[in-house]
Amino acid sequence: AQKVTQAQTEISVVEKEDVTLDCVYETRDTTYYLFWYKQPPSGELVFLIRRNSFDEQNEISGRYSWNFQKSTSSFNFTITASQVVDSAVYFCALSEPISASKIIFGSGTRLSIRP
Amino acid sequence: EAGVAQSPRYKIIEKRQSVAFWCNPISGHATLYWYQQILGQGPKLLIQFQNNGVVDDSQLPKDRFSAERLKGVDSTLKIQPAKLEDSAVYLCASSPTGYTNEQFFGPGTRLTVL
């Protein structure tokens, strides 16, 4: 069965600190996609990144970076120099094989950035 | 480009009453999803449509929930009768195809069942 675990339920840091959100997944499929979504207080889920299982290259987008490690089934998300606007709930998610598009979400990590 | 529209944004009903939610996906998106997000949890897929056909409704409580996507465009999700545990945010999402493309989410409808 597929499962996504986000062990950190809440994280609070001071603005400008770096913060890493952990994500561990389980799947028996060899082909799958991993996602990160942001859910600000407004409630709308905002897509951040999609990574397929064949691409283990780390990715950087501005202050955001993602570390995909197949050996440990982890897909961690780091925010560098955090800002108050980064405060939100962040969800890691896993999709079934490419023939379908069902996404299974983790339980989320609530990130609070204090000024 | 207009995003995914949902209405109403908030709804409060008493248990055993009926309620319906509406979703209008992004124009041209073939795939439409309804998710249930209970407070403190991640979204859970209820039903997925590809055009006007159902692809996956394995987690839809069919004794009380129903959904339709007539004409393959907008969709309605209905709960009849509602239970206390149905209190949640109901999210609609759409994507251009069903093949793990990015899903675009609407703002959700927050349902409170008293």
Side-chain angles (χ1 to χ4, degrees), chain B residues 91-114:
Chain B
L91 295 163
C92 180
S94 70
S95 67
T97 72
Y99 296 97
T100 61
N101 276 331
E102 172 188 347
Q103 293 184 19
F104 297 82
F105 284 81
T109 296
R110 182 176 297 278
L111 173 67
T112 302
V113 182
L114 303 175

Side-chain angles (χ1 to χ4, degrees), chain A:
Chain A
Q2 299 195 321
K3 186 179 176 183
V4 177
T5 301
Q6 294 180 256
Q8 304 151 308
T9 52
E10 291 194 40
I11 299 176
S12 180
V13 300
V14 176
E15 199 172 19
K16 296 182 187 172
E17 286 186 8
D18 299 346
V19 58
T20 296
L21 309 182
D22 298 333
C23 173
V24 174
Y25 63 92
E26 295 174 30
T27 180
R28 280 184 245 175
D29 300 313
T30 55
T31 304
Y32 51 89
Y33 281 104
L34 294 163
F35 303 79
W36 276 95
Y37 280 85
K38 173 181 179 180
Q39 189 172 44
S42 62
E44 199 161 326
L45 278 159
V46 177
F47 169 84
L48 295 178
I49 190 172
R50 180 185 67 194
R51 170 67 75 226
N52 78 54
S53 53
F54 299 116
D55 182 2
E56 289 193 68
Q57 269 195 320
N58 291 331
E59 179 152 341
I60 298 174
S61 175
R63 297 184 297 106
Y64 295 171
S65 62
W66 290 270
N67 184 327
F68 177 28
Q69 298 219 344
K70 228 169 170 177
S71 59
T72 55
S73 296
S74 65
F75 186 43
N76 296 338
F77 172 32
T78 297
I79 301 175
T80 303
S82 61
Q83 299 176 3
V84 172
V85 293
D86 295 327
S87 296
V89 180
Y90 290 86
F91 291 97
C92 181
L94 168 71
S95 77
E96 289 188 337
I98 290 176
S99 60
S101 64
K102 179 176 174 178
I103 293 182
I104 296 162
F105 286 84
S107 56
T109 297
R110 180 176 298 279
L111 177 63
S112 299
I113 309 298
R114 307 190 304 275

